[in-house]
Amino acid sequence: VLPERLQRREAERQQGVERQRQKKEAQVVKEEQSEFFVAAFSREREAVEALLTVGSLEEAAARLQGLQKLLTESVRFLAPYEVRQGQEAVARLQGDLAARRQQLQPKKKFAFRALKKEAPLGSEPRPAEPARPAAAAATPGPGPAEGEAGGPPLCGFSRAEDEELELGPAELLQRDVVLSELRGCRVRLRGNANTLRVRDCRGCTVLCGPVSTSVLVDGCSDCLLVLACQQLRTHRTRDSRFYVQVTSRAVIEGCTKVSFAPYTWSYPGMERDFESSGLDRNRNNWKLVDDFDWLATDKPSPNWSLIPEQERISCWD
């Protein structure tokens, strides 16, 4: 009979061997999943690029949404650099799609103006009528925000200060929305947008209905953001609170003092907007956050936290 000390040591050795075996198997599975993702993502990306060149833009939009979903569902086993590459590819394709839609919009028809009649000889010339002011182009506020590099102007607001800003369902339906360089504004987006980008905003509150694909928050501070989306990415943001309905894991990078709580905003017609967005209301990973700047697995990231239940906002009006 082996002494108890030797038995314990043998048991520990066997446990170590088993842990190594399981770790190796998990690594093999992860590598196989990553290889499958790379092949599938590359194939779908090329298909979208071909459709944007010669093909149906509606089909391109549908396949692009599928590409975004594939990336979102694969985040848990991809390396951070693979996630970033995928996000950049999707963002570029979304910009190309918006540019193609803008390019194919019907142009205004050219019309000849009536020729001015000559006044009879000896008659007094009629005084010229005062010029009428040109009708201002309809914009949803102080003007549409600029789109991503290479893309056309997008729906949204830019460079406003201390204003109440709002867009409704007809203006938002499957549009790409940009909010940029806002100061102290309260923004309500009631409807179903396709994407949302919030850039360089300070001291703002953003209440947003369901976004079909991704939300990017970049370079913001002291903001309160209420968002429902498939994927949430937050870069270079500090001292901000997020109330989210997100079907994948949220991603933060270069962020400090950001906190999260579940989505609590509501408005008339929201259920219809959720149906058109394709988001699953029963799936909310609001407290699953990946910090790309924090690699330790045994300690939580100090850059983000959960908002205590007693401190959460439930009434937004």
Side-chain angles (χ1 to χ4, degrees):
V1 179
L2 290 173
E4 183 179 349
R5 182 169 55 85
L6 293 178
Q7 290 178 341
R8 187 167 59 250
R9 183 179 298 175
E10 176 63 15
E12 290 173 354
R13 188 188 70 80
Q14 292 291 345
Q15 290 174 356
V17 170
E18 179 63 18
R19 280 196 299 270
Q20 288 296 325
R21 185 187 67 79
Q22 292 177 355
K23 186 176 179 181
K24 186 175 180 180
E25 288 181 355
Q27 182 63 29
V28 169
V29 170
K30 189 174 181 180
E31 290 173 357
E32 290 176 350
Q33 289 175 321
S34 179
E35 290 175 2
F36 172 80
F37 166 80
V38 170
F41 189 88
S42 177
R43 184 173 60 251
E44 284 301 299
R45 186 193 65 223
E46 291 172 359
V48 173
E49 289 171 343
L51 288 167
L52 289 175
T53 304
V54 284
S56 164
L57 291 190
E58 294 309 313
E59 185 179 353
R63 296 194 74 156
L64 180 54
Q65 189 167 347
L67 190 66
Q68 174 74 67
K69 185 177 180 182
L70 172 64
L71 176 61
T72 299
E73 293 176 346
S74 305
V75 165
R76 65 184 184 277
F77 59 78
L78 295 177
Y81 76 90
E82 291 177 314
V83 175
R84 276 195 289 269
Q85 287 178 339
Q87 291 170 343
E88 289 169 1
V90 169
R92 177 179 58 79
L93 290 172
Q94 288 171 341
D96 292 345
L97 176 62
R100 284 286 292 154
R101 280 176 170 161
Q102 183 77 6
Q103 182 183 359
L104 296 177
Q105 281 184 352
K107 297 181 180 180
K108 293 181 180 179
K109 294 182 179 179
F110 177 80
F112 290 99
R113 291 185 299 173
L115 293 175
K116 187 176 180 181
K117 293 184 179 180
E118 295 284 342
L121 291 175
S123 64
E124 292 292 328
R126 292 180 61 186
E129 293 184 4
R132 295 180 180 179
T139 60
E146 292 180 356
E148 296 299 315
L154 304 177
C155 171
F157 302 101
S158 179
R159 300 182 181 90
E161 187 170 351
D162 298 325
E163 293 192 38
E164 295 275 341
L165 307 170
E166 185 164 346
L167 293 174
E171 298 158 303
L172 289 173
L173 184 58
Q174 286 301 304
R175 298 283 301 277
D176 295 330
V177 183
V178 176
L179 306 176
S180 67
E181 299 180 51
L182 304 179
R183 301 292 181 267
C185 293
R186 186 178 180 87
V187 185
R188 293 182 182 87
L189 304 175
R190 292 185 171 95
N192 169 215
N194 180 46
T195 65
L196 171 65
R197 296 176 180 85
V198 185
R199 301 186 308 212
D200 301 319
C201 294
R202 305 284 182 272
C204 295
T205 296
V206 177
L207 304 173
C208 183
V211 176
S212 291
T213 56
S214 64
V215 173
L216 170 63
V217 179
D218 187 16
C220 297
S221 64
D222 302 306
C223 288
L224 176 58
L225 302 111
V226 185
L227 309 165
C229 56
Q230 186 180 110
Q231 183 181 51
L232 172 63
R233 296 172 289 147
T234 305
H235 300 161
R236 302 182 305 115
T237 293
R238 59 180 177 81
D239 300 309
S240 295
R241 291 172 292 162
F242 292 80
Y243 286 72
V244 296
Q245 167 92 32
V246 59
T247 57
S248 65
R249 299 174 68 97
V251 173
I252 65 173
E253 186 173 17
C255 298
T256 56
K257 295 183 180 179
V258 294
S259 53
F260 294 83
Y263 188 84
T264 55
W265 190 42
S266 64
Y267 58 85
M270 175 177 276
E271 292 301 324
R272 181 175 61 251
D273 292 332
F274 263 100
E275 289 177 6
S276 66
S277 73
L279 298 180
D280 183 356
R281 292 219 67 175
N282 297 318
R283 184 179 178 187
N284 188 3
N285 296 320
W286 65 273
K287 58 183 177 181
L288 301 181
V289 180
D290 290 329
D291 184 356
F292 281 0
D293 297 319
W294 188 256
L295 302 180
T297 57
D298 57 337
K299 295 181 181 178
S301 166
N303 299 319
W304 68 274
S305 62
L306 301 181
I307 301 174
E309 191 169 352
Q310 65 273 18
E311 298 178 14
R312 295 173 191 169
I313 300 172
S314 57
C315 180
W316 299 95
D317 296 325

